[in-house]
Amino acid sequence: MKSPALLALAASIATLATVQAEDWPRWGGNDPGRNMYSPAKGLPSTFDPGKFKANSEEVDITTTKNVKWVAKLGSQTYGNPVVANGKVFVGTNNASPRDPKYKDDRSCLYTFNEYNGDFLWQLAVPKLASGKVNDWEYLGILASPCVEGGKVYLVTSRCDVVCLDAEGMSNGNDGPFKDEAKYLGGPGKPPIEPGPTDGDIIWRYDMMDELGVFPHNASNCSVITLGDKLFTCTSNGQDWTHVNIPSPLSPSFIVLDKNTGTFLAEDDAKIGTNIKHGQWTSPSLGKVNGKDQVYFGGGDGILYAFSTEPVKEGDSTYMKKVWWFDAVPEEYKHDKAGKPIKYPAAEGPSEINATPVFYKNRVYVAIGQDPEHGEGVGRLVCVDATKTGDITKTGLIWDFKEIHRSISTVSIDPTNGLLFIGDFSGFVYCLDAETGKKYWEYDMKSHMWGSTLVADGKVYCGDEDGDARIFASDKQFKLISEVNMGSPVFSTPIVANGTLYIGTQTQLFAIGEGAKPVEAGAKK
């Protein structure tokens, strides 16, 4: 008979293994509140991304350190990788075609083998015929997919929500959707018959056709699910004039049936007429007083909490507002003389592009703008999620106005209560998540598009110059290491099953402490 001490030790080891062996199946990992934190241990404090082979965009894996594998992406990669069931999914463009039948500009979702980085399949989405006003050239897939079981849920650059078979076409054309050839060919063009390395669409919901929305330049939302419901931003926005909103009555936020793609409800916030530019945020979830709430950062600069239960009103079905908080302070709306400050002035108002983070009955989010608008004033707010109604004056717990415009999502370390966030100007801040007190800031000296990730007592992030930095998750500032990746880092580092993933514009790196290169085709 085993002693209690041995049984306790075995249980501890099993628990540690469970913590370390954890997929990252969607934006924010396994946390529906979207806190950019991983409980993984034993992560690298430094690494070497290696050197490129002569006259090539391929990394010489023998020149790397602590790198398992490197996968070639397109020329522009803004999407964040997710890892589930032995596969890595990441959005990019078609500048380095994986299939000779796709030679034009497309937005691609790539799927790789988690162990060795081998390419498995892709969804090569044709661009919208309307051009850059709705679907900017060479941007690629911006959203992170959400993977559940054998299904992959994704918002594409065509402003549609698709459910894909995680195996691609390798196991046949499954599901009710059978028009992949027509979809891959594009409207008005000859169909392209899918092969075994193409994506298999289970269902598709076209938000432009079904809702009349008008995405400004790009469509983006990393969807989230709750039970059978799937929540997504519609990307509704302005047209090329930057004044007119073509579809002011179309919804900004909807919920679909994740099994069929059937429309279930839309928001009741009437955001459309107040959109400042575009809408590219991703929702998060929280449970307050036993009831589920879904959080959405509006293109009007307002943070919303909606009920997750649709309510029928007349001919329409809505997600009802639980509370709302205007994240844009008065001094950003009007100057000292009371004159309105015109958007997108550096000293003026912004929308919410970051993902709201739910943590301990609070919601954290920063305001910001399209990076094309440059730098400007910002604000990070911490809001009480237990209140109801208009809580602009009653729900603020603390705010932080030293931050500049930001499209980054916060990461909170539950082991010490520290919050980390970057802004577009390139500053990384360490705050007390409870009080908002600033402990330190660091100037990356380059624009920051992605977010921080906290794991294993470290803070990981990257910038536009291609510098990946690792800080200590501590009140006292400590830069552990700085590594140039050889290409801009516009995405956010993630951790899955003990491996750190960092995507640059052109490469995806799988990094591990003491890792040795894994040969293509190698079996685990």
Side-chain angles (χ1 to χ4, degrees):
M1 183 176 180
K2 294 181 178 178
S3 70
L6 284 175
L7 290 173
L9 177 61
S12 298
I13 293 172
T15 300
L16 181 60
T18 300
V19 167
Q20 290 183 324
E22 187 175 72
D23 281 350
W24 188 274
R26 62 188 172 197
W27 174 235
N30 291 284
D31 180 7
R34 306 278 206 185
N35 182 23
M36 297 298 148
Y37 166 80
S38 169
K41 303 294 182 183
L43 299 177
S45 296
T46 189
F47 60 94
D48 189 334
K51 298 177 175 58
F52 289 104
K53 294 180 179 179
N55 303 314
S56 170
E57 290 186 333
E58 183 181 351
V59 172
D60 182 350
I61 195 71
T62 64
T63 63
T64 66
K65 178 183 178 182
N66 287 342
V67 174
K68 294 182 177 181
W69 52 260
V70 184
K72 181 70 180 75
L73 303 176
S75 64
Q76 294 189 38
T77 303
Y78 299 90
N80 304 287
V82 304
V83 181
N85 304 322
K87 297 179 179 64
V88 181
F89 305 85
V90 64
T92 187
N93 67 13
N94 193 45
S96 300
R98 289 280 181 170
D99 190 321
K101 67 175 178 274
Y102 303 121
K103 296 182 175 66
D104 53 343
D105 179 19
R106 287 173 177 255
S107 302
C108 299
L109 177 72
Y110 281 177
T111 307
F112 300 102
N113 180 293
E114 179 185 359
Y115 178 67
N116 58 29
D118 285 355
F119 174 76
L120 299 176
W121 61 266
Q122 67 174 329
L123 181 70
V125 181
K127 305 294 279 186
L128 287 169
S130 53
K132 66 173 62 181
V133 66
N134 296 130
D135 192 0
W136 200 273
E137 64 263 33
Y138 301 111
L139 270 187
I141 294 288
L142 303 178
S144 295
C146 173
V147 184
E148 288 188 4
K151 301 292 191 301
V152 180
Y153 302 97
L154 176 73
V155 171
T156 77
S157 58
R158 296 186 65 85
C159 200
D160 50 23
V161 186
V162 294
C163 171
L164 309 172
D165 181 348
E167 301 300 323
M169 282 287 185
S170 65
N171 63 349
N173 192 347
D174 300 321
F177 189 91
K178 301 297 182 183
D179 289 335
E180 280 87 356
K182 183 178 178 181
Y183 181 85
L184 294 173
K189 296 183 179 180
I192 298 177
E193 289 298 325
T197 60
D198 281 308
D200 179 8
I201 301 174
I202 305 299
W203 58 255
R204 171 183 177 236
Y205 184 86
D206 188 327
M207 292 187 284
M208 293 183 75
D209 282 353
E210 299 291 342
L211 305 172
V213 301
F214 192 93
H216 182 82
N217 296 157
S219 300
N220 175 63
C221 178
S222 298
V223 304
I224 198 165
T225 62
L226 177 67
D228 290 332
K229 303 185 188 76
L230 180 149
F231 300 90
T232 184
C233 172
T234 67
S235 298
N236 194 33
Q238 296 177 335
D239 63 14
W240 57 90
T241 67
H242 293 89
V243 175
N244 181 51
I245 301 168
S247 303
L249 302 182
S250 291
S252 297
F253 188 48
I254 63 170
V255 56
L256 305 175
D257 185 313
K258 75 175 186 182
N259 301 303
T260 63
T262 302
F263 175 86
L264 297 178
E266 63 184 88
D267 70 88
D268 71 342
K270 296 180 172 58
I271 299 170
T273 56
N274 297 311
I275 295 172
K276 300 181 189 302
H277 186 56
Q279 297 189 108
W280 303 291
T281 188
S282 298
S284 57
L285 293 165
K287 189 179 287 288
V288 177
N289 297 324
K291 294 184 178 180
D292 292 309
Q293 295 180 354
V294 58
Y295 307 104
F296 179 78
D300 54 359
I302 297 176
L303 172 63
Y304 295 92
F306 294 100
S307 169
T308 61
E309 294 300 324
V311 175
K312 183 78 172 177
E313 291 186 355
D315 294 332
S316 301
T317 307
Y318 296 103
M319 287 179 283
K320 304 292 290 183
K321 298 191 301 291
V322 177
W323 55 258
W324 57 99
F325 178 92
D326 189 345
V328 182
E330 181 60 30
E331 62 264 34
Y332 296 178
K333 297 178 181 179
H334 299 88
D335 62 20
K336 292 180 180 179
K339 183 180 178 181
I341 302 174
K342 189 176 181 180
Y343 182 95
E347 70 277 16
S350 289
E351 66 272 23
I352 298 174
N353 290 310
T355 302
V357 169
F358 175 84
Y359 182 80
K360 292 186 176 181
N361 280 348
R362 298 177 175 192
V363 180
Y364 302 80
V365 76
I367 60 173
Q369 294 186 24
D370 181 342
E372 293 291 327
H373 293 173
E375 301 176 26
V377 295
R379 187 192 190 195
L380 170 65
V381 297
C382 170
V383 177
D384 186 347
T386 66
K387 295 186 177 293
T388 58
D390 184 351
I391 64 171
T392 303
K393 296 182 178 179
T394 61
L396 181 67
I397 296 175
W398 58 259
D399 67 351
F400 180 68
K401 293 179 183 175
E402 290 183 43
I403 193 171
H404 307 89
R405 286 176 181 168
S406 178
I407 56 175
S408 302
T409 299
V410 307
S411 49
I412 301 172
D413 190 336
T415 68
N416 55 23
L418 297 179
L419 177 152
F420 301 90
I421 186 172
D423 65 26
F424 183 66
S425 295
F427 290 89
V428 177
Y429 304 90
C430 172
L431 311 176
D432 186 308
E434 185 74 19
T435 66
K437 177 183 177 181
K438 185 180 79 171
Y439 291 112
W440 53 260
E441 68 178 63
Y442 177 83
D443 186 357
M444 303 270 280
K445 300 188 186 305
S446 179
H447 291 146
M448 185 171 173
W449 296 54
S451 302
T452 52
L453 169 77
V454 175
D456 193 26
K458 306 176 186 73
V459 183
Y460 297 88
C461 61
D463 66 24
E464 192 175 82
D465 282 347
D467 292 322
R469 289 181 175 87
I470 305 175
F471 307 101
S473 175
D474 195 275
K475 295 178 182 179
Q476 299 297 318
F477 173 77
K478 180 182 179 182
L479 175 62
I480 297 174
S481 65
E482 179 179 342
V483 178
N484 187 269
M485 305 293 293
S487 179
V489 178
F490 289 136
S491 60
T492 300
I494 65 120
V495 171
N497 304 314
T499 297
L500 171 71
Y501 295 88
I502 299 180
T504 71
Q505 282 281 72
T506 59
Q507 312 282 343
L508 178 63
F509 293 81
I511 305 161
E513 181 64 30
K516 302 297 182 183
V518 179
E519 293 183 4
K523 304 296 183 182
K524 189 172 182 179

